[in-house]
Amino acid sequence: MDNFATLIGYHGCERSLAMKVLLGEEELNPSTNDYDWLGEGIYFWANDAQRALQWAKTKKEPFVLGAVICCSNILDFTTQEARIATKKSYDSLYEIYEGNNIPLPKNKPVGKGDIDLKNRKLDCLVMNHLQKTSPFDAFIAPFWEGKAIYDGAMFKESSHIQIAVKNPKSILGYFKHLSNKGKK
């Protein structure tokens, strides 16, 4: 699982925060929600500034911040190794929780009629446990999200590749993406 990767990621955020990050006045903070599917980390959309912009449109002044991410130790969920490591992490947690007679959290939809399990408390717990037992610079994984783009399709409207940076030192630098055209 030790492998080297240089990634381009896009982070949707408020313009004021992006400007401070670009000027080196602030850093992006890791998300620590108990439902973040890849656990604690600084989240980016891999190679997809438009998807970052879609997400950022929930902000008052949406902005897309680009980042060059260089990892010497990345957990890539397109590989069998990552899936095996994740299953081992789950099995370990299952034993701990079962031994203490505590139910594991579940992944659930956010709202009624929601087709995606966006409240990923179980996944978050497993990913954070995995990171504690085998630290990585970043996790990268496909996320199938949204409605089918046509009847019977497995391609989804909002699918993307997500990067969760665990080691902020892996972020070499930030840049302003062209989707912010005209925004100073």
Side-chain angles (χ1 to χ4, degrees):
M1 283 182 281
D2 287 334
N3 55 31
F4 180 83
T6 300
L7 309 166
I8 301 296
Y10 296 98
H11 184 84
C13 60
E14 190 67 52
R15 181 188 176 284
S16 60
L17 172 61
M19 291 297 109
K20 288 176 183 174
V21 169
L22 287 167
L23 293 171
E25 296 171 357
E26 271 192 49
E27 295 293 326
L28 293 177
N29 291 319
S31 179
T32 58
N33 299 312
D34 67 351
Y35 55 81
D36 290 331
W37 75 297
L38 292 176
E40 291 183 16
I42 304 169
Y43 279 75
F44 295 90
W45 279 271
N47 304 316
D48 195 350
Q50 287 185 336
R51 183 67 182 96
L53 182 59
Q54 285 174 345
W55 188 88
K57 286 191 176 177
T58 63
K59 306 293 181 188
K60 184 178 175 186
E61 288 187 81
F63 197 92
V64 175
L65 190 59
V68 178
I69 305 160
C70 188
C71 304
S72 61
N73 189 16
I74 188 166
L75 187 63
D76 181 349
F77 283 86
T78 65
T79 68
Q80 191 62 28
E81 285 178 293
R83 293 184 290 275
I84 290 168
T86 301
K87 177 70 166 87
K88 285 180 182 176
S89 180
Y90 170 82
D91 290 346
S92 170
L93 276 173
Y94 182 84
E95 285 181 26
I96 293 166
Y97 274 65
E98 186 178 73
N100 290 298
N101 202 25
I102 301 170
L104 280 167
K106 295 185 183 305
N107 294 333
K108 300 184 235 177
V110 174
K112 289 184 179 183
D114 195 351
I115 59 173
D116 298 314
L117 301 176
K118 290 183 184 174
N119 186 331
R120 301 255 179 130
K121 289 186 179 184
L122 177 59
D123 291 347
C124 184
L125 183 68
V126 171
M127 295 297 103
N128 285 338
H129 183 66
L130 176 58
Q131 179 65 12
K132 283 179 190 162
T133 57
S134 303
F136 289 90
D137 292 332
F139 293 171
I140 185 168
F143 189 86
W144 310 114
E145 181 181 11
K147 296 177 184 175
I149 59 173
Y150 54 85
D151 191 33
M154 291 303 296
F155 299 103
K156 307 290 183 172
E157 290 175 339
S158 299
S159 292
H160 55 277
I161 304 294
Q162 193 93 65
I163 303 166
V165 173
K166 307 296 183 168
N167 177 1
K169 291 179 182 174
S170 299
I171 301 170
L172 298 182
Y174 295 99
F175 59 92
K176 179 180 171 183
H177 188 264
L178 295 175
S179 62
N180 302 304
K181 193 175 180 181
K183 297 179 185 176
K184 295 182 182 182

